[in-house]
Amino acid sequence: MRIARFTTGDEPLFGIVTGDLDEYGQPDPDAQIVALAGDPIYAGINPLDQTHRLADVRLLAPVIPRSKVVAIGKNYADHVVEMGGATGELPPEPLMFLKPNTSVIGPGDPIVYPRQSENVHFEGELAIVIGRICKDVPVERAADVIYGWTIANDVTARDLQKSDGQWSRAKGFDTFCPLGPWIETELTLDEVKAGLRVQTFLEGEVKQDGNTRDLIFDVPTIIAHVSAAMTLLPGDVILTGTPAGVGPMEPGQEVEISIERLGALTNPVKK
Ligand code: MG
């Protein structure tokens, strides 16, 4: 099931997106969205008698994390190398940081280039949406706390990441966490482990072409590690790291991240 959040100009609603995706992760032109009562993470699936053509609504971020977006850095070996590390310098355990929930935007919303930076990068990532309150989740129980999966862009001011010495500002600007286009609830941990292609396109040109089978720390290990430190709440989001190929985006360009089975998340960049 694909759960989106959308507006037709009025109050945002959640809805179920029908139809199949094409080979580029784009929905069927006739796809529809069936509106739901309330937030399905808390209220379950309660369809309203209200259906729209998907093409007629504006999609919003499919989740607004109430407490936090947790992110994992250096979780693909080829990205560690491109950032200046050696393969012998892979992190011994998941490297965790936070992005504020105020950095979240939805599909089509502009990533705003901050005046403090001259080098803003895309990082395409698989994102986990947490479904229940949890702490100290054992690896073998990870599936129980996952509500679904979406696509994230861990936008990063690379110059500030270096000059600040830590990452809060560089990864925390407003608009630096595009999420969407919806939450897929039917993907399994086995499918993620077997491998989903993760690609980032800038102005239609492929820049990142990775695969979730190459995650250094797999999703159950990430959930166990994060929840050993902090309580996770329903709607919290965990970004799993980016493969090689990160690079700069310029105002006026468009960035698209596509992940197999999930679809594609597209955002313009503006000054
Ligand atoms: Mg990242």
Side-chain angles (χ1 to χ4, degrees), residues 9-182:
D10 299 326
E11 283 291 297
L13 288 169
F14 288 87
I16 297 173
V17 178
T18 67
D20 294 324
L21 302 180
D22 69 15
E23 61 179 308
Y24 304 107
Q26 298 300 327
D28 193 305
D30 297 323
Q32 297 194 314
I33 187 162
V34 180
L36 298 173
D39 181 337
I41 292 184
Y42 302 95
I45 302 293
N46 299 299
L48 296 167
D49 187 17
Q50 184 188 139
T51 300
H52 304 273
R53 290 183 66 228
L54 185 60
D56 292 341
V57 307
R58 184 162 83 87
L59 293 184
L60 307 169
V63 57
I64 299 291
R66 286 193 187 176
S67 79
K68 55 198 169 294
V69 176
V70 183
I72 303 298
K74 301 185 179 176
N75 202 24
Y76 287 84
D78 55 3
H79 174 62
V80 175
V81 171
E82 78 176 344
M83 294 304 286
T87 44
E89 292 173 16
L90 301 185
E93 57 181 3
L95 172 63
M96 193 168 101
F97 60 95
L98 296 175
K99 289 170 83 80
N101 57 3
T102 44
S103 64
V104 171
I105 57 172
D109 290 337
I111 296 164
V112 179
Y113 214 103
R115 59 183 164 71
Q116 296 93 332
S117 174
E118 292 174 353
N119 192 18
V120 174
H121 281 205
F122 51 80
E123 294 189 359
E125 309 199 5
L126 173 68
I128 307 157
V129 180
I130 296 296
R132 53 194 278 186
I133 185 167
C134 58
K135 178 79 170 69
D136 293 321
V137 180
V139 169
E140 61 274 13
R141 298 286 304 276
D144 298 351
V145 307
I146 298 172
Y147 185 76
W149 308 81
T150 191
I151 302 171
N153 191 343
D154 177 20
V155 178
T156 304
R158 198 68 74 198
D159 45 359
L160 301 182
Q161 186 184 24
K162 292 201 176 74
S163 62
D164 282 358
Q166 50 92 356
W167 304 358
S168 295
R169 183 168 66 142
K171 289 174 174 284
F173 284 97
D174 288 359
T175 77
F176 270 29
C177 191
L179 294 177
W182 39 65

Side-chain angles (χ1 to χ4, degrees), residues 182-209:
W182 39 65
I183 299 169
E184 171 59 72
T185 61
E186 278 159 29
L187 193 63
T188 67
L189 283 170
D190 285 343
E191 289 172 289
V192 173
K193 186 125 195 151
L196 302 175
R197 195 172 187 185
V198 179
Q199 292 178 292
T200 302
F201 300 87
L202 188 66
E203 293 293 285
E205 186 184 331
V206 64
K207 295 291 185 182
Q208 295 188 281
D209 193 355

Side-chain angles (χ1 to χ4, degrees), residues 94 139 142 217-226:
V139 169
F217 298 105
D218 65 11
V219 168
T221 304
I222 291 170
I223 289 175
H225 183 79
V226 172

